[in-house]
Amino acid sequence: MTEIIDLDAYRPRPVPDLTKHTDPSDTPPPREVLEGVILPADSAAPAVPLWRRSARTVRVVATDPRTRTAARTAARHGAYVAGGAGILAKRAWDGRSAARYERMIRIAEVAGQHETAMEWEERGRQFRAARHQRRMDLLTAPQRLAKGALVGAATTAGGLIALGTVLAFAEHDVSQVIAPIAFTIDVVRTLVWVASIVWGPAVFLAPWAALLTLWNVGRRGQAAPNWALPAVQRSTDGMPITPSIVVTALRDLGIAALRGAIKAMEDNGAAMLGPIRIAGCGVEVDVTLPSGVSTEEVQGRRRKLAENLGRHEHEVFITIPQAARTVRLWIADSGALDEPIGPSPLTIDADMSAAYATGRAPWGQDLRGDAALISLFQRHLLITGLSNQGKTASLRALLLWLVLDPTVQVRIADLKGVGDWRMFDGLATVLIEGPTDDHVIDATEMLEEGVAEMERRLMAPAGTTWDPLILLVDEAQVAFMCPAVGPDKRPYGGVKATSRYFQAARKIHNQGRAVDVLLWQGTQDPTDQNLPKLVREGAHIRASLVLGTESQARMALGDKAIDGGAAPHKLRQGLDKGTVVVAGDGVKLAPGQSSITIRTHFIDGDAAAEIAQRAKARRTGVTTRSAVDTSQQVDALADIATVLADADRMRTQEVLQRLAELRPTEYRGWKFGDLREVLDPFGAAPHKSDGVMVVDRAKVRTALAARDADTAAGDGE
């Protein structure tokens, strides 16, 4: 019988007897083959060598966590002492030499601040001159010291003798003359005795005190390797932003050139930072990047930078100011952007008025907390974003302010049709509500009426002033995606040159501003199909709420704004409702800034209806018509009588113009022949007067009365 001995475990295992017949089903599963040797059963296990046991013990002790902790602790505290000595030596060297000034000169030169460099150079020159003077004074110091000592001794002795003389006269005792001197000698003797007692312990404790001082200085300066420092998890969430936090966050961005430049700077990167300024619910700081680091690299790491600063991504905004190689960081106080802003001035000031040409609409607050005021004078507007993010409410807030100016005319096409714009019934001359193809057709005709009005104004004499006309289309993507085709085989939607909506929008963008005919559009989820490039680039003010991708953000705001730091695609869907990133003119921007982020005021439906009522009270009666209702018949003769109400005779050209103003859809294309065709059967055809063709009001009224009489007679029969 033999046994297998495992040299590692030293546990014997019996070997089955292979000579006996066994049932295959009873055969145990094969075991793992171990390295070993076969020994007789009565043989003892070989002894483990002493050196092997010692090595195993050393390995166990060396890998024990307690050993590692003790080693790190010893290395850390030893490094504190050495590092503290180095720190004190550097301070002493800086105090005795001009190294500090040379260092600041190099930092200023790297930052391109040449005036600051010259100022530090002058300070260094003054320091060297003063140091030279001190060294020259040392040459005569022994003579002055000896002279001072003699004078001091003589003065002290004379003073003591004089004091003794006074005491002698007072006490009538001559021995009191030397009493002050004797007292002084006793004091000196006592001090020497005390010093002799303290000297021994002081000499013993002085090295330890010096060692403790070095250790404390090193500990405060963290003068130890990173692996030896204690692993303390520090959270910067909600902490105030300091220069060290900003520099550390930039250093840890993962940009090798930036990290190397910060390490090479003698001030550890502090020279890169401008002043940290309080800006609304956060702080703002300009960072001058070192050579070799682009602003685009920093912008591309916005999330990591925010996390390094202890903030969420939406709480850090990176823009490019006017200065070269500089990024501007706006860092919100933790959680500040989740707090609501105050109510709109429109809801709390019942006496607020608007001025289209000179006023600015109170749209909300910028990130600094300042009021965001936007000028709408002669500016086309486009606002886009994902669905249900506050697009309609943001656009409606602007129009609610503008209609407080009674000179502003409004025509609205709401291609969603859920009542968001219903409060403008009685303010807008046209209010289209609905998402069907018929509503898109009506919206297209509304824009074409706007084009006709624009062309009429352009043909008027120079210097003519016009009331502003706002053509607003909400959910404009519905119009661009409409498949309906008109009787002339031209599609209403689409982005081709034959598209009626697209062409009307382009014409208004091209020339409407000059005569105050403006197009405002709201759309969602922009693409090249539902928001053509020519249309989106025709808007003077381009605003975007949260979007899904950077490519959509570029469509909404343009490449310049996105390259300059605008990031609507970084907003949080559902959490940043009503927050818009605005590019273009109309809103004041800092020099070099291409966009601004605004948290808009939310005006709910009830408040919007109340503001609309105030606007209606400032206007005469406005009849709102829906272009969808086409059942009403046009009475051309009655309309001609209406436009002739304030004149006995009127030139035919002026009659046609007034008819087009009254009903643009019906009379926009009328010519002289159409006018004659209506009036001739009633005997009121245009005739010449003073060489021009005119229409006579009396004849038109007579014809209208005769027609009404005939109609009444026919109804009586």
Side-chain angles (χ1 to χ4, degrees):
M1 186 73 177
T2 60
E3 292 182 347
I4 297 178
I5 304 301
D6 185 355
L7 294 182
D8 291 331
Y10 300 104
R11 292 183 297 181
R13 290 187 299 178
V15 178
D17 189 357
L18 301 178
T19 61
K20 296 182 179 181
H21 176 73
T22 58
D23 189 353
S25 62
D26 297 335
T27 304
R31 295 183 178 181
E32 182 182 359
V33 179
L34 303 176
E35 182 180 359
V37 295
I38 300 177
L39 298 176
D42 56 352
S43 299
V48 178
L50 179 61
W51 66 268
R52 187 169 184 177
R53 285 184 292 177
S54 300
R56 179 178 297 174
T57 302
V58 171
R59 183 170 65 251
V60 171
V61 173
T63 57
D64 189 89
R66 290 171 294 181
T67 304
R68 295 180 179 179
T69 301
R72 281 200 304 268
T73 302
R76 178 169 66 251
H77 292 290
Y80 282 166
V81 175
I87 292 173
L88 290 178
K90 184 177 180 180
R91 290 177 183 174
W93 176 253
D94 286 346
R96 300 292 299 175
S97 68
R100 177 188 294 109
Y101 303 97
E102 296 293 340
R103 182 167 60 251
M104 298 306 296
I105 290 172
R106 288 194 295 271
I107 292 172
E109 288 177 345
V110 170
Q113 301 172 353
H114 300 292
E115 294 182 359
T116 305
M118 294 178 65
E119 181 180 349
W120 280 108
E121 184 177 3
E122 176 61 22
R123 292 182 182 180
R125 187 193 64 77
Q126 295 175 1
F127 172 80
R128 294 186 186 92
R131 182 182 60 184
H132 175 72
Q133 185 60 42
R134 289 194 299 271
R135 289 176 179 175
M136 295 301 294
D137 292 342
L138 289 176
L139 297 177
T140 59
Q143 178 182 356
R144 289 183 286 105
L145 184 61
K147 183 178 179 180
L150 290 175
V151 173
T155 303
T156 302
L160 293 175
I161 293 173
L163 179 60
T165 303
V166 174
L167 290 174
F169 276 107
E171 298 293 336
H172 304 286
D173 185 1
V174 179
S175 62
Q176 294 296 323
V177 175
I178 63 172
I181 297 177
F183 176 77
T184 303
I185 293 173
D186 289 340
V187 171
V188 172
R189 183 184 297 113
T190 302
L191 292 176
V192 171
W193 175 76
V194 172
S196 64
I197 295 175
V198 177
W199 179 258
V203 171
F204 175 77
L205 294 175
W208 297 104
L211 192 65
L212 181 62
T213 301
L214 295 177
W215 174 85
N216 188 50
V217 173
R219 180 183 63 84
R220 290 178 178 274
Q222 295 289 291
N226 289 332
W227 59 267
L229 292 174
V232 179
Q233 185 67 28
R234 297 178 180 177
S235 175
T236 58
D237 291 349
M239 292 180 60
I241 298 299
T242 62
S244 61
I245 290 178
V246 177
V247 172
T248 302
L250 293 169
R251 183 197 65 193
D252 297 338
L253 270 184
I255 303 175
L258 181 58
R259 184 181 185 89
I262 292 175
K263 285 186 174 182
M265 294 181 182
E266 298 184 12
D267 63 344
N268 296 321
M272 297 192 310
L273 306 184
I276 296 180
R277 305 175 296 273
I278 296 177
C281 57
V283 297
E284 187 178 74
V285 58
D286 287 351
V287 180
T288 302
L289 300 176
S291 178
V293 182
S294 69
T295 56
E296 185 177 359
E297 290 180 286
V298 177
Q299 283 184 302
R301 289 170 169 80
R302 175 183 172 187
R303 174 175 293 181
K304 189 171 185 179
L305 177 61
E307 293 172 349
N308 292 347
L309 291 167
R311 298 293 191 269
H312 296 290
E313 184 179 10
H314 72 278
E315 295 176 327
V316 175
F317 289 82
I318 306 173
T319 55
I320 310 300
Q322 195 171 13
R325 212 173 67 236
T326 302
V327 293
R328 177 168 295 161
L329 306 180
W330 185 86
I331 307 161
D333 297 336
S334 185
L337 294 183
D338 296 327
E339 298 293 331
I341 64 174
S344 170
L346 293 173
T347 62
I348 59 179
D349 186 359
D351 297 327
M352 175 173 280
S353 60
Y356 162 75
T358 59
R360 289 181 176 270
W363 207 9
Q365 294 180 0
D366 61 15
L367 297 179
R368 291 173 169 267
D370 299 331
L373 305 177
I374 183 168
S375 172
L376 303 173
F377 176 63
Q378 293 187 342
R379 289 177 174 92
H380 302 299
L381 185 146
L382 170 67
I383 182 170
T384 185
L386 298 180
S387 177
N388 194 31
Q389 297 304 306
K391 169 179 54 63
T392 297
S394 300
L395 186 59
R396 188 176 64 190
L398 292 178
L399 193 61
L400 283 171
W401 175 83
L402 191 58
V403 294
L404 292 176
D405 183 345
T407 65
V408 176
Q409 302 178 30
V410 179
R411 301 175 187 176
I412 300 173
D414 175 16
L415 298 183
K416 182 164 52 177
V418 295
D420 289 336
W421 300 89
R422 195 159 297 163
M423 69 285 300
F424 286 90
D425 189 2
L427 281 174
T429 56
V430 175
L431 179 58
I432 302 166
E433 294 180 290
T436 67
D437 290 349
D438 288 337
H439 294 93
V440 173
I441 293 172
D442 293 336
T444 303
E445 292 177 349
M446 182 187 79
L447 259 64
E448 290 175 342
E449 290 178 8
V451 172
E453 173 64 15
M454 175 192 72
E455 293 173 347
R456 185 182 72 82
R457 295 183 178 189
L458 289 171
M459 296 301 294
T464 305
T465 58
W466 308 98
D467 290 339
L469 173 61
I470 307 298
L471 304 170
L472 189 149
V473 181
D474 195 12
E475 305 296 340
Q477 76 280 355
V478 177
F480 285 109
M481 302 300 290
C482 177
V485 179
D488 56 356
K489 306 302 181 182
R490 293 176 58 198
Y492 287 94
V495 297
K496 296 182 179 179
T498 56
S499 168
R500 293 177 61 177
Y501 183 92
F502 173 69
Q503 286 299 321
R506 285 295 301 141
K507 289 179 180 179
I508 296 173
H509 277 168
N510 288 338
Q511 297 178 308
R513 181 197 64 81
V515 288
D516 295 307
V517 176
L518 305 176
L519 176 60
W520 292 9
Q521 295 182 96
T523 182
Q524 62 176 264
D525 200 14
T527 65
D528 284 331
Q529 288 72 37
N530 63 25
L531 188 60
K533 180 179 180 180
L534 292 177
V535 171
R536 60 180 184 252
E537 290 186 351
H540 301 99
I541 301 173
R542 300 169 69 173
S544 174
L545 295 102
V546 58
L547 290 172
T549 64
E550 182 179 337
S551 61
Q552 288 182 320
R554 291 185 179 276
M555 289 183 186
L557 301 181
D559 292 336
K560 180 181 179 181
I562 301 302
D563 293 338
H569 54 291
K570 297 292 186 180
L571 297 174
R572 301 167 299 167
Q573 185 173 0
L575 298 177
D576 289 325
K577 283 187 176 182
T579 299
V580 295
V581 183
V582 183
D585 59 359
V587 61
K588 292 183 178 179
L589 301 175
Q593 192 173 350
S594 59
S595 65
I596 186 173
T597 301
I598 298 175
R599 302 170 68 195
T600 61
H601 295 296
F602 174 69
I603 303 176
D604 60 25
D606 294 338
E610 181 181 351
I611 298 169
Q613 287 299 325
R614 297 206 307 260
K616 293 175 185 178
R618 303 183 183 188
R619 300 168 180 253
T620 57
V622 176
T623 301
T624 300
R625 61 185 176 90
S626 171
V628 177
D629 184 10
T630 58
S631 59
Q632 183 179 2
Q633 297 295 326
V634 177
D635 188 346
L637 186 61
D639 289 340
I640 295 173
T642 300
V643 300
L644 289 172
D646 58 349
D648 294 335
R649 293 180 180 179
M650 187 176 292
R651 297 174 58 183
T652 54
Q653 188 62 34
E654 188 175 354
V655 172
L656 293 173
Q657 289 181 0
R658 292 197 177 189
L659 286 173
E661 292 177 8
L662 180 65
R663 297 182 185 275
T665 304
E666 290 78 9
Y667 302 122
R668 183 184 60 200
W670 268 38
K671 304 296 183 183
F672 176 75
D674 300 312
L675 186 61
R676 176 179 287 277
E677 183 178 350
V678 171
L679 296 176
D680 196 43
F682 298 98
H687 60 90
K688 277 192 176 184
S689 175
D690 296 331
V692 295
M693 297 297 294
V694 297
V695 178
D696 192 292
R697 182 180 64 181
K699 291 183 178 180
V700 173
R701 288 184 175 180
T702 301
L704 185 60
R707 189 197 65 179
D708 292 342
D710 293 343
T711 302
D715 293 339
E717 294 177 358

